[in-house]
Amino acid sequence: MERAIPDIVVGRLPHYLRALQHMSLEGRRLTSSQELSERLGISAAQIRKDLSLFGEFGKQGTGYQIDYLLNQLRQILKVNQIWDIALVGAGDMGSAIARYQGFTDRGFRVVMIFDNDPSVIGSQIGPFTIQSTDELVVAIQSADVRIAMLAVPAANAQEVADMLVQAGIKSILNYAPISLNVPDDVHVQYIDPVIHLQRMTYYLE
Amino acid sequence: MERAIPDIVVGRLPHYLRALQHMSLEGRRLTSSQELSERLGISAAQIRKDLSLFGEFGKQGTGYQIDYLLNQLRQILKVNQIWDIALVGAGDMGSAIARYQGFTDRGFRVVMIFDNDPSVIGSQIGPFTIQSTDELVVAIQSADVRIAMLAVPAANAQEVADMLVQAGIKSILNYAPISLNVPDDVHVQYIDPVIHLQRMTYYLE
């Protein structure tokens, strides 16, 4: 059943969740597909259609109950729990990710950090001791971690991705500017600042 | 005319551009909406419809000429030139952005870096001398920079965004986990790793 939802729809749900979370923090109780549309730049009809794939969340005329829809979306996206993340790369980007404040209350926490540089292995980033990438496969398998963030140079990214796959990782968020080859049952998402910048230059004169 | 294109369509064009750039680097000459669809997870009909808003790029039966479409998309997105970027924040994230290899040949380069920490002002990140945020408005105005990347703590992000707006910045890429309030003529995009992570947890068991 769930497998029948197009990935492009799944990709919009976190945006709905984030908008609803902001509204909830503002103390709001009700919203509408129109308001979500204005916040997100997605048509109200599309939002209603997307949400209707998962159930009857709104009522004609009264709209959506924010906290109810929030909890439903958390369940659908499986972030009504905390997922452990293995972070690979303890350079500038990895250190920034390890200290990132935006994971709180959104379903994730970094639990281990790896690097291949002997000069940083054993040192601390906040509460974490940086481990050698040589230990990566065993450590991830032992802890049964399923999600990894990749913050290594482009030249090393595929090699590390292969190790992550071997360790049983099923979701990789890749910060390196390179496409990864992984088996079909592993999902990869890319953090690519240029995609966002190019969307804005369209509007510049 | 261009203003009539929905922002959601504009947001897909950089993804088409990136896929075509990869194909071009692979030495490929022709592609199809079907192939783009498989690479991007966007329906072939949607891709054809999006591209048809900007002109006649493909021929029924032969598909799209990769380099031609690439150049057209570069013109449409205005990245057939190099845009200068002001980077604010010289911590871990800012340093990682300053060294990021993924801007090359995609229309952007960082040209100035600001921070408010006296202990880093005046020091170097690669070719850049970190300037004080006190100099931000004048420096950006003098150099006529229109795009900024924001890599400061959440607590400072709105204050810096206000300065960027005052300096004439029209596009902000925000790495801080906070929504920014800006005038209608300023575009903001967010780098939010959680959006990507939540899209993948949907598929985890």
Side-chain angles (χ1 to χ4, degrees), chain A residues 2 5 7 18 22 76-78 92 99 106 175 179 189 192-193 196 198-199 201-204, chain B residues 2 7 14 18 22 76-78 92 99 106 175 179 189 192-193 196 198-199 201-204:
Chain A
E2 284 190 357
I5 306 289
D7 181 60
R18 184 172 63 183
H22 285 156
I76 292 165
L77 292 171
K78 301 184 184 137
D92 295 324
R99 297 193 180 99
R106 297 178 71 196
Y175 281 74
S179 291
Q189 288 272 308
D192 181 351
H196 299 276
Q198 289 178 340
R199 180 176 188 156
T201 46
Y202 176 81
Y203 298 100
L204 290 177
Chain B
E2 284 189 359
D7 182 59
R18 183 172 64 184
H22 285 156
I76 291 165
L77 292 171
K78 300 184 185 136
D92 295 325
R99 297 194 181 98
R106 296 177 71 196
Y175 281 75
S179 291
Q189 288 272 308
D192 181 353
H196 299 275
Q198 289 178 339
R199 180 177 189 155
T201 45
Y202 175 83
Y203 297 100
L204 290 176

Side-chain angles (χ1 to χ4, degrees), chain A residues 10-24:
Chain A
V10 175
R12 284 191 288 263
L13 300 183
H15 293 273
Y16 303 157
L17 181 55
R18 184 172 63 183
L20 291 163
Q21 213 152 4
H22 285 156
M23 291 175 188
S24 178

Side-chain angles (χ1 to χ4, degrees), chain A residues 92-93 96, chain B residues 87-100 103 110 113-115 125 128 130 149-152 175:
Chain A
D92 295 324
M93 186 62 78
Chain B
L87 170 61
V88 193
D92 295 325
M93 187 61 79
S95 301
I97 294 167
R99 297 194 181 98
Y100 185 65
F103 295 125
V110 172
I113 305 183
F114 301 94
D115 203 289
I125 301 182
F128 308 106
I130 300 168
M149 297 176 82
L150 199 46
V152 301
Y175 281 75

Side-chain angles (χ1 to χ4, degrees), chain B residues 44-171:
Chain B
Q46 183 72 68
I47 293 170
R48 287 194 298 272
K49 194 177 153 198
D50 286 352
L51 294 177
S52 72
L53 293 174
F54 298 94
E56 290 265 347
F57 298 126
K59 284 196 191 127
Q60 194 106 40
T62 62
Y64 299 106
Q65 291 217 331
I66 290 169
D67 284 342
Y68 178 74
L69 184 51
L70 200 53
N71 283 324
Q72 295 296 310
L73 284 173
R74 282 197 183 109
Q75 279 182 40
I76 291 165
L77 292 171
K78 300 184 185 136
V79 290
N80 55 343
Q81 58 177 292
I82 306 292
W83 291 92
D84 290 342
I85 296 177
L87 170 61
V88 193
D92 295 325
M93 187 61 79
S95 301
I97 294 167
R99 297 194 181 98
Y100 185 65
Q101 301 296 307
F103 295 125
T104 315
D105 295 331
R106 296 177 71 196
F108 303 93
R109 66 174 175 199
V110 172
V111 296
M112 46 180 79
I113 305 183
F114 301 94
D115 203 289
N116 66 356
D117 177 353
S119 74
V120 303
I121 293 165
S123 64
Q124 296 281 128
I125 301 182
F128 308 106
T129 304
I130 300 168
Q131 298 177 256
S132 164
T133 5
D134 294 342
E135 299 162 25
L136 180 151
V137 174
V138 170
I140 288 177
Q141 281 174 341
S142 315
D144 198 23
V145 173
R146 318 286 298 282
I147 305 174
M149 297 176 82
L150 199 46
V152 301
N156 304 336
Q158 183 61 53
E159 180 193 358
V160 173
D162 293 342
M163 295 171 69
L164 292 171
V165 168
Q166 193 195 333
I169 290 289
K170 296 297 178 197
S171 306

